[in-house]
Amino acid sequence: MERTFLMVKPDGVQRNLIGEIVSRFEKKGFQLVGAKLMHIPTELAEQHYGEHKERPFFGELVDFITSGPVFAMVWEGENVIATARQMMGSTNPKDAAPGTIRGDFGLTVGKNVIHGSDSPASAAREIGLFFKEDELVEYKKLVNEWIY
Ligand code: DAT
Ligand code: MG
């Protein structure tokens, strides 16, 4: 089953959006396999956002993501990587459709509430950066018989 890495960013944690965001993915039918509230060390932030190292906003991005605790999660389910991206909405909340997380809760690109992996390769990389194997929980949910 496909897995993705999702993270409520420091603005989402401060704005009490953890429960709302977890609830959306639960209700969709995805299964939570790992989660933790944590401060991201600068080194991990730089690794996580490594693809943006040359971008002018890289410094701000690292400062922001390390500015307070984040809620890091691994979710599992059919097509979860692409579907979670759709549920998040466009990177810039001003372009994000109503009904998406960024469309409903964000105003500016700098504080866009949530991170989600954008491909199978980035999901594998980001899950590995943030979680140890024994922090991911395998379990069977009977409700899955009513989803799949
Ligand atoms: P996404 O988070 O949708 O995957 P991304 O990987 O292109 O978007 O960029 C990572 C984060 O960097 C994004 O969530 C917010 C920030 N960011 C992106 N483009 C930006 C810009 N033009 N100015 C400031 N911050 C930006
Ligand atoms: Mg990205």
Side-chain angles (χ1 to χ4, degrees):
M1 193 64 90
E2 191 172 271
R3 288 181 173 181
T4 196
F5 174 72
L6 301 178
M7 171 167 75
V8 182
K9 294 184 178 181
D11 54 332
V13 173
Q14 292 295 329
R15 293 177 54 206
N16 298 319
L17 293 173
I18 292 175
E20 167 75 32
I21 288 169
V22 167
S23 182
R24 288 186 180 209
F25 293 106
E26 280 186 318
K27 287 175 187 161
K28 178 67 177 169
F30 293 130
Q31 182 164 334
L32 187 62
V33 298
K36 57 185 168 186
L37 188 68
M38 62 182 284
H39 273 110
I40 303 185
T42 302
E43 215 171 86
L44 175 58
E46 287 171 351
Q47 269 182 293
H48 171 66
Y49 280 130
E51 65 172 314
H52 299 303
K53 205 165 46 196
E54 308 304 331
R55 308 283 284 278
F57 56 84
F58 182 69
E60 261 175 73
L61 186 56
V62 170
D63 286 349
F64 169 60
I65 209 70
T66 59
S67 65
V70 300
F71 193 65
M73 301 168 279
V74 176
W75 286 86
E76 187 174 270
E78 183 121 342
N79 207 32
V80 67
I81 299 170
T83 301
R85 292 283 298 189
Q86 287 179 334
M87 292 169 67
M88 289 162 53
S90 300
T91 300
N92 193 329
K94 87 173 161 53
D95 305 320
T100 65
I101 292 166
R102 287 163 168 171
D104 287 350
F105 303 120
L107 288 175
T108 63
V109 71
K111 295 192 171 68
N112 62 3
V113 184
I114 185 167
H115 168 84
S117 308
D118 63 7
S119 67
S122 74
R125 190 180 80 88
E126 293 169 1
I127 290 168
L129 279 176
F130 281 84
F131 287 90
K132 300 191 184 93
E133 196 54 52
D134 67 4
E135 292 176 311
L136 302 178
V137 182
E138 304 258 5
Y139 60 110
K140 186 173 163 66
K141 290 179 87 174
L142 291 179
V143 73
N144 286 345
E145 290 172 22
W146 296 96
I147 294 170
Y148 295 104

